[in-house]
Amino acid sequence: MLKEFKAFALKGNVMDLAVAVIIGAAFGKIVTSLVNDLLMPLIGLLLGGKNFSGLELPLGDAVLKYGLFIQTVIDFIIISFSIFLFIKLLSQFKRKEEVQPSEPPAPSNEEVLLTEIRDLLKQQSQGTDN
């Protein structure tokens, strides 16, 4: 069982997934900081200095904190858009790698033989034309 687990854990796909999760978590922190520290203060200024997180609606003993909900929705939209742009950028790099021309494949034996036959026929026809 230990050998099977070791083989599973050291497969390329599992390692790639682990790296992706770690990078994703770090990327999420960067985008969260972007939203909380840069964008939301600017949006608050545009809306007259309002802070979304402080918006609430008291209903008897309960309090609906709809400002936090608005903040979370805006965070989600910005984070998902950022991830979309990041993936699109990675896709463009991958396409550029795929588009690079490679060397044409070497001709097969049949192609070489047919080329030789064609060249011989050309030489024969040129010899009879003169």
Side-chain angles (χ1 to χ4, degrees):
M1 186 183 227
L2 185 60
K3 287 182 182 179
E4 289 178 23
F5 176 73
K6 183 179 176 184
F8 169 77
L10 296 179
K11 280 186 181 177
N13 293 341
V14 175
M15 299 302 279
D16 291 344
L17 179 61
V19 170
V21 168
I22 292 169
I23 290 175
F27 184 70
K29 288 180 182 180
I30 290 171
V31 174
T32 300
S33 176
L34 171 74
V35 170
N36 292 337
D37 302 330
L38 297 176
L39 295 178
M40 288 314 293
L42 293 174
I43 292 172
L45 283 174
L46 292 174
L47 296 175
K50 296 246 181 188
N51 183 357
F52 283 119
S53 60
L55 298 176
E56 23 183 74
L57 179 65
L59 294 173
D61 292 338
V63 176
L64 295 177
K65 297 183 178 183
Y66 67 93
L68 290 174
F69 177 74
I70 293 171
Q71 176 71 37
T72 303
V73 169
I74 291 172
D75 287 354
F76 171 76
I77 291 169
I78 293 172
I79 289 171
S80 59
F81 185 69
S82 299
I83 291 172
F84 167 75
L85 291 177
F86 184 70
I87 291 173
K88 187 173 180 171
L89 180 69
L90 287 178
S91 297
Q92 287 178 349
F93 284 136
K94 193 164 194 122
R95 267 190 249 129
K96 285 181 183 178
E97 290 174 3
E98 293 172 0
V99 171
Q100 292 178 351
S102 60
E103 287 185 28
S108 67
N109 291 337
E110 292 85 12
E111 289 175 320
V112 170
L113 184 60
L114 289 171
T115 303
E116 290 174 2
I117 293 171
R118 181 198 64 201
D119 293 343
L120 287 172
L121 289 173
K122 278 185 181 178
Q123 287 176 357
Q124 274 184 339
S125 68
Q126 288 175 355
T128 57
D129 287 345
N130 292 336

